[in-house]
Amino acid sequence: MDFAGDRISQLPEPIKHHIMSFLPYRDELRTGILSKTWQNARASYPILIFLESRFEGGDLTRPTKTTERKLRFMDMVENSILKLYKRGMTLQRFVLQLVLPEHDDHNLGLRVDNWLELVSEAKVKELSLDFKSYYALNEMNNRYRPHCNLPQIIFGSKSLLTYLMLRNCTIEHLVFHASTRCDSLRELLLGKVNISDDILQKILLCCSSSLIRLELWYCLGVKNLRLSGLNKLKKVTVVESHHERLESIEIEAPSLCYFHCDVSSRRTRISLVACANLEELSIPNSFVWEQISEYVGSKFPLLKRLSIDDCSRLRRFEIDFESSS
């Protein structure tokens, strides 16, 4: 290929990578066929995004029709990870969306575990995993979520992980030592995840010095959410699962600026203590308001926005900010 008029191909590889980061998923994949130069840039690209839902246009809801396609997809993922790992590169971002069958006849889960080990050893900075199941795709009200075995190295002191998002999976059997620390993790997002109070607390403890954002969406197993010792935590979002109710939410976070809570039960106990920097508060109904209304003015002197989704049973609304002086 004549590069005389193709100055983009002559750009340094880091700049090519920056350009690729702005491309849509499909276009970014196609850069490898432009030329040998772009093929090399694609091979060394420190961002790996694999979405099964966009691979070969298959129908994810029909498992008997997708086995061969799924294996081709997994081969592509595995080869890409191995190439980057052999180069000894630090992985900026790894995104995987994969539908796992409830009955794993091809040991797909074991292959995913091996990928996560390699990705962790590559010191991934941003990790997003979404493991749906065929059952989840076909049934609206289900509780089956494939297991996700996170390597312990992810939460180790040498980890560079800053962002972790997990969806549609089960987390258990995590081993944490008393000295386990992940001082780089700033954002933790869990959506439709099965996780116990104990394991969630262990994860929060190991990143207590760095966590800024926490989101829990429709998680199962979380009964009593307690957030304390998270001095840098600024944003918390909690949306209760339709299958299980939260019994309590207790937050002691001096840097907290934003709290959004969506719980359906009037019996959920909510306590917001030592959150003097709170600026935005979003609660679902008047039952929650009745629990916190007495100290909103005195405890949240910087409050700028208050949202109550359902006010149909609200009998009294009064905030006394004068007592906060």
Side-chain angles (χ1 to χ4, degrees):
M1 178 179 290
D2 182 11
F3 290 102
D6 182 12
R7 295 188 177 183
I8 293 181
S9 293
Q10 300 176 50
L11 291 171
E13 202 162 78
I15 296 180
K16 291 194 186 81
H17 291 163
H18 185 66
I19 293 173
M20 292 166 65
S21 68
F22 292 97
L23 296 177
Y25 174 70
R26 290 181 182 274
D27 293 339
E28 183 266 311
L29 289 177
R30 293 182 181 128
T31 57
I33 65 174
L34 295 176
S35 66
K36 185 69 174 178
T37 302
W38 279 100
Q39 185 179 0
N40 292 335
R42 177 72 183 85
S44 63
Y45 189 45
I47 296 177
L48 298 181
I49 301 176
F50 302 104
L51 308 176
E52 187 188 6
S53 59
R54 300 187 186 181
F55 182 71
E56 296 184 359
D59 183 0
L60 299 182
T61 63
R62 302 177 66 184
T64 57
K65 303 268 185 190
T66 61
T67 300
E68 292 184 3
R69 186 186 63 85
K70 179 180 293 294
L71 293 177
R72 288 196 299 272
F73 173 77
M74 298 192 73
D75 288 342
M76 179 191 70
V77 175
E78 192 162 297
N79 291 334
S80 299
I81 295 174
L82 287 173
K83 286 180 181 178
L84 188 140
Y85 179 77
K86 290 177 180 178
R87 286 173 174 254
M89 296 176 56
T90 296
L91 188 57
Q92 176 66 35
R93 186 194 314 162
F94 182 75
V95 178
L96 176 65
Q97 182 266 313
L98 175 67
V99 179
L100 290 175
E102 186 170 0
H103 303 290
D104 190 0
D105 298 328
H106 295 275
N107 294 319
L108 305 183
L110 182 59
R111 293 183 68 179
V112 173
D113 292 345
N114 293 333
W115 298 348
L116 294 182
E117 289 283 354
L118 295 176
V119 166
S120 301
E121 291 182 20
K123 297 188 182 302
V124 62
K125 294 181 179 179
E126 300 175 24
L127 180 61
S128 300
L129 305 173
D130 185 353
F131 299 110
K132 291 186 177 181
S133 68
Y134 292 116
Y135 184 74
L137 289 168
N138 290 293
E139 298 289 341
M140 293 298 294
N141 298 319
N142 75 89
R143 301 192 181 198
Y144 172 72
R145 291 161 186 176
H147 285 260
C148 177
N149 297 316
L150 294 175
Q152 186 176 349
I153 190 175
I154 282 186
F155 300 105
S157 59
K158 296 182 180 180
S159 173
L160 300 179
L161 189 68
T162 61
Y163 176 95
L164 177 61
M165 187 196 77
L166 303 174
R167 298 189 64 216
N168 298 294
C169 62
T170 296
I171 304 176
E172 59 183 8
H173 306 311
L174 281 179
V175 179
F176 288 92
H177 301 294
S179 59
T180 300
R181 288 290 181 271
C182 183
D183 296 327
S184 59
L185 188 60
R186 295 164 59 88
E187 299 180 81
L188 176 62
L189 290 73
L190 305 180
K192 295 185 178 179
V193 171
N194 292 3
I195 184 170
S196 67
D197 287 338
D198 181 58
I199 291 181
L200 178 59
Q201 287 301 318
K202 288 180 179 179
I203 294 176
L204 294 175
L205 179 62
C206 81
C207 61
S208 59
S209 64
S210 57
L211 194 66
I212 292 177
R213 176 186 174 197
L214 173 66
E215 295 190 8
L216 303 176
W217 296 81
Y218 311 114
C219 291
L220 295 175
V222 179
K223 300 290 187 180
N224 298 282
L225 179 63
R226 178 172 175 76
L227 305 178
S228 63
L230 304 169
N231 294 330
K232 293 185 179 180
L233 188 63
K234 292 185 176 181
K235 183 174 182 179
V236 174
T237 299
V238 180
V239 179
E240 186 180 54
S241 168
H242 300 301
H243 302 292
E244 293 180 357
R245 75 174 185 88
L246 273 165
E247 296 178 3
S248 65
I249 301 175
E250 298 180 31
I251 302 179
E252 298 179 23
S255 299
L256 189 68
C257 297
Y258 174 92
F259 176 59
H260 172 82
C261 170
D262 188 352
V263 295
S264 58
S265 174
R266 69 177 69 182
R267 295 191 297 273
T268 301
R269 302 186 306 277
I270 296 181
S271 173
L272 304 175
V273 181
C275 300
N277 287 306
L278 191 66
E279 296 180 0
E280 294 188 40
L281 175 62
S282 176
I283 56 178
N285 51 53
S286 57
F287 302 117
V288 175
W289 171 251
E290 290 173 1
Q291 296 185 51
I292 65 175
S293 59
E294 293 184 1
Y295 59 79
V296 166
S298 59
K299 297 293 186 181
F300 313 139
L302 302 180
L303 190 66
K304 297 177 181 178
R305 181 177 179 181
L306 171 64
S307 173
I308 305 176
D309 292 342
D310 183 5
C311 300
S312 60
R313 301 194 178 207
L314 191 63
R315 293 175 293 180
R316 182 177 64 88
F317 184 85
E318 181 179 342
I319 302 178
D320 181 11
F321 281 102
E322 294 182 357
S323 60
S324 63
S325 59

